[in-house]
Each structure stands twice: as structure tokens, then as C-alpha cells.
Amino acid sequence: MALIVQKYGGTSLSSVEKIRWAAAHLVRTKEAGNDVVAVVSAMAGETDRLYEMCLEVMDPPDSRELDVITSSGEQVSSGLISMAVRALGHDAVSFQGHQVRILTDDSYSNARIMDIDAVRIREAMGCGKIVVVAGFQGVDSGGNITTLGRGGSDLTAVALAAVLGADACELYKDDVDGVYTADPEVVAGARKLRRVSYEEMLELSSLGSRVLQGRAVEFAKKFGVPVQIRSTIEPEREGTWVIEERSAMGELEQMLISGVTFDNNQSKITAIKVPDRPGIASRLFTLISDEDIVVDMIVQNVSTEGYTDITFTVSRTDFKKALGITERVAGELGASGVVSDKKIAKLSIVGVGMKTHSGVASEMFRVLAAEGINILMISTSEIKISCVVGEKYSELAVRALHKAFGLGEAK
Ligand code: ASP
Ligand code: MG
């Protein structure tokens, strides 16, 4: 008998029919002889609706009450799923974060899980019940309701799977059925991967792949939770396993690159000709991080005659704020000017095969050059190479790279 955690995302719960389908799937899994714990998101669009309502009442909203309100979407869907299971004649019970008890720190809206006491879940499973847990929510040591950041139900599912020692954590989606070599809407021949390693998935999540919350992948990696992304549309089909590199190696070894992605939500800012002396980068990036702006790439040139240029990228959402800060501090830094570009994209190729193979970067640059695409910035990690290019080239570049690295070919 296996213990399976199944997470149902918001789009898989967007109507009463879909809720019934999820309940029936839980029952099928249980009848096949497994113990099942469901983790549910709010019904599609509900969390956004709640956020917007809060903003209408108070902007910026009170952080404690914001979590009281936004966590309620999951309360509704957990109750509904449990009821739908009961309507099918099976026993089920729903638990909220504080009932489980998912103890978090007190950073409202983005709380970290400190501890999970799964006694009530185990008791209920012991009585033969299907347990339905509201995702996304926890409770701090003072008893206040907290939430785990957008997409946080993935984290709830992975964390519960870790604590319960589950055999698998299945994440059901209905907009995707796995992780692909590229966005199938952009690359016609994109192929679903059978397996990716946690590390690759982390890079893919941080690159804007919406498949899995980044923090959930980090957690899965830390505790070795085998995660599978599956489709509610075709639940019998194998999805993509996100697992440890070692166990994925057989397949990964043949593959240099697992995927090509791009992110158009990028912009870049350059402080030109700043004096090359200690404290300049520190001053600029402290001001930027004080505003909670996340900087992605940073490039500083070799200095000539005591001056250098500093270029960095931020999401387009933060562009105006970051540009404003840079322009305000430019005089103090001794910069001769600030230039910026809002129409850029970040292209990345990801693959653990890069650790052991050379020539991947040069191949990427060759492909871009052959398409006449100019590279504006480059950054690399052990398993990723990213190039910033003009936004208008991003889709062309993804297709060319996908083809050059043979990603569409059946393995
Ligand atoms: N409902 C929350 C959100 O929309 C959590 C989740 O869906 O994972 O971010
Ligand atoms: Mg979601």
C-alpha cells in the first residue's frame, strides 16, 4: 500500500464538475489500495479576486488581515472536495493549516514553514478517511493565519509529502501535463520530458516556467520528495517526474540540454562611467534592495582609466522604480549618465549535462549569431546559460536553439 499526496491546482477546481472529478479521482486512488491526502488550491481566480478586494478597502492592505482573507479560498475548496468525496459514499475530512498544524514564521504573505505536526492527518488516515488539506496556509506561533506566497499550495503538498514520508507527491494541473523542452505554444516540436532533476526544475521555475513554485522545488530537493506533474485531462498518462539527478542520470546523460526558456518580463538599466572605487555597487544595490526589488543579472565592465559601467536587469514590473532610484543616485555615485532598455528578453538553456560537457555556450552563441541576433548580456551557472537579447528575437531564438540542440527528437 502506498501513501500518495495529490495536489489539485486552481484551474483543476474551477467548477463544481471539476471538483466532483477531483473527488472521484481521489476515491479511485483510494480504492486502488492507497492512502491518499489531497492538498487543494483556491478555485481558479479566487485568490486574485480576494487580493483585489483587499486593495479596494485598504492600499497597501494590512498584512495580517490580508492573509486572513486570501487564505479563505483554500478553506472553501477543501470543504467542497471533502463534501464531494462524502457525496460519493466515502469518508473524508478537511483540515485547515492551523488544524493540521502547519507552523510558520510570521512573515505574512510569504511565510516559511517551520514545522508540521501531522498527527491529526495520520489519525484520520488510520480511520480510513481521505484527508483534504487546504493548501497555501499556515499558522504562526501566536496563532495568526499566514500564507506561503503565490503558488504556495505546491509547497504545502511537497512539505506534507516529506513529513508523511509519502511515496509520491502528484501535482494535478489542467493547463499543463508536464515539463516540456520549451513552451509548446512557441515551439511546435516541444517534447514532454519524462524526468527532470530538482536542480534543473529550480532553474526552470526561476526562469518563469509556471509549472511549479520555486520554493516547493527547493523543499522537494532538500527532502528528496519524488514529485510528479500530471494532467487532470489525461490522468492515466505519465507526467514529468521531478527527482534527484542521480536517479535521472540514465536519461539525462544522453541529454546535454533539457530545456530552452525565455522570459520577456525583463528590462535593463546601466549606470555609465561610474568611478571604479569601493562602495559604488554597494550603495546602488542597497538602495534597490531596500525597495524589495529583485535584481537578476549584474555585469560590471573592466575599468578603463578608472571608470566602469554597471548594467543590471530587473523585471519589467520593477523597471520604473529601479530606474528612478538609479537616476536619483547617479550624481552621488559620479556616473556620467543612466541608460535603460525595457524591450529585452532573457533566453536560457538549462541542463545538468553542461556540468560535464564543454562547448555548450559556444554552440548557443553560434546559433544566435547565425540568426543575426545580437547578445546584450551573458550569464552562466553550472547548469544554465542565459543571454539577454532584444525582445523581438526571443521566440525566433528559442525555436533555433531548440532545433540546434535536437530537443524535439524522440529519445
Ligand atoms: N491560491 C494561491 C495562489 O493563487 C495558492 C496556490 O494556488 O497555490 O497563489
Ligand atoms: Mg495556483
Side-chain angles (χ1 to χ4, degrees):
M1 189 165 85
L3 167 54
I4 299 175
V5 173
Q6 294 185 339
K7 184 245 163 180
Y8 293 88
T11 49
S12 320
L13 303 174
S14 57
S15 65
V16 170
E17 288 72 49
K18 289 189 175 180
I19 292 206
R20 284 210 186 95
W21 185 89
H25 194 64
L26 288 166
V27 166
R28 273 197 295 278
T29 312
K30 173 92 182 144
E31 283 182 338
N34 305 294
D35 272 334
V36 204
V37 175
V39 173
V40 295
S41 287
M43 293 171 77
E46 181 61 7
T47 312
D48 286 336
R49 189 184 73 83
L50 294 166
Y51 266 109
E52 276 152 29
M53 203 158 58
C54 293
L55 283 175
E56 269 178 49
V57 175
M58 184 182 184
D59 189 6
D62 177 80
S63 51
R64 180 184 183 278
E65 305 312 337
L66 183 65
D67 282 14
V68 168
I69 296 161
T70 56
S71 62
S72 67
E74 274 71 12
Q75 176 160 348
V76 172
S77 38
S78 63
L80 280 174
I81 294 269
S82 174
M83 228 185 230
V85 170
R86 287 173 162 271
L88 292 171
H90 279 255
D91 208 359
V93 61
S94 69
F95 290 126
Q96 307 308 299
H98 65 93
Q99 292 173 312
V100 167
R101 178 165 191 263
I102 299 176
L103 181 70
T104 71
D105 65 11
D106 60 4
S107 344
Y108 294 118
S109 291
N110 202 21
R112 300 209 148 250
I113 296 178
M114 315 292 284
D115 191 30
I116 296 181
D117 175 1
V119 173
R120 286 190 75 179
I121 295 184
R122 286 207 178 88
E123 270 172 16
M125 277 194 310
C127 301
K129 291 182 193 195
I130 291 175
V131 177
V132 186
V133 179
F136 183 52
Q137 24 162 296
V139 64
D140 72 6
S141 57
N144 303 297
I145 294 174
T146 54
T147 62
L148 307 176
R150 295 312 303 266
S153 300
D154 287 349
L155 181 59
T156 308
V158 170
L160 277 179
V163 167
L164 294 167
D167 297 284
C169 179
E170 302 175 345
L171 305 183
Y172 284 89
K173 314 248 157 192
D174 77 8
D175 41 356
V176 284
D177 62 351
V179 181
Y180 279 74
T181 51
D183 183 342
E185 279 176 23
V186 175
V187 181
R191 195 171 45 83
K192 185 164 75 184
L193 293 162
R194 280 198 297 140
R195 303 186 181 103
V196 285
S197 68
Y198 295 124
E199 271 180 298
E200 289 170 312
M201 194 65 221
L202 271 176
E203 292 287 6
L204 294 168
S205 313
S206 70
L207 295 172
S209 134
R210 293 165 304 112
V211 179
L212 239 175
Q213 192 211 30
R215 279 175 62 196
V217 187
E218 272 170 33
F219 204 101
K221 176 171 188 245
K222 193 161 166 200
F223 295 96
V225 180
V227 173
Q228 197 186 23
I229 295 155
R230 299 182 74 112
S231 155
T232 42
I233 315 279
E234 292 173 292
E236 286 74 33
R237 272 189 43 194
E238 282 270 305
T240 301
W241 281 100
V242 187
I243 48 177
E244 239 169 84
E245 192 183 309
R246 237 175 311 117
S247 41
M249 253 321 174
E251 179 172 349
L252 294 175
E253 243 167 14
Q254 308 152 22
M255 275 175 66
L256 206 49
I257 304 301
S258 300
V260 188
T261 62
F262 70 98
D263 181 0
N264 277 349
N265 181 22
Q266 294 276 327
S267 62
K268 75 180 169 83
I269 297 170
T270 305
I272 303 170
K273 220 171 165 226
V274 290
D276 186 18
R277 60 176 154 75
I280 301 281
S282 158
R283 175 80 179 129
L284 174 60
F285 292 110
T286 303
L287 289 172
I288 296 215
S289 74
D290 282 350
E291 291 295 318
D292 283 329
I293 296 172
V294 176
V295 174
D296 183 7
M297 291 189 197
I298 303 177
V299 172
Q300 181 182 308
N301 287 345
V302 171
S303 73
T304 42
E305 291 152 20
Y307 291 96
T308 178
D309 297 338
I310 299 179
T311 303
F312 61 97
T313 61
V314 293
S315 75
R316 243 172 245 181
T317 342
D318 287 330
F319 175 71
K320 233 173 117 189
K321 241 165 126 192
L323 182 61
I325 295 169
T326 314
E327 283 171 342
R328 272 197 303 283
V329 80
E332 180 195 322
L333 297 180
S336 72
V338 176
V339 290
S340 60
D341 188 349
K342 227 182 144 173
K343 290 208 157 58
I344 59 163
K346 182 171 73 169
L347 273 175
S348 306
I349 56 177
V350 175
V352 291
M354 274 182 223
K355 282 186 185 174
T356 45
H357 289 77
S358 58
V360 180
S362 56
E363 175 64 6
M364 182 178 191
F365 305 152
R366 186 195 63 73
V367 172
L368 296 179
E371 296 292 337
I373 300 170
N374 189 30
I375 301 171
L376 306 173
M377 290 168 87
I378 300 169
S379 90
T380 62
S381 81
E382 229 188 348
I383 64 162
K384 180 189 74 173
I385 302 167
S386 300
C387 293
V388 169
V389 300
E391 180 189 11
K392 62 179 180 217
Y393 301 115
S394 58
E395 299 199 357
L396 166 69
V398 166
R399 284 193 280 265
L401 290 166
H402 194 267
K403 182 148 183 263
F405 284 100
L407 293 178
E409 291 151 27
K411 289 276 168 336

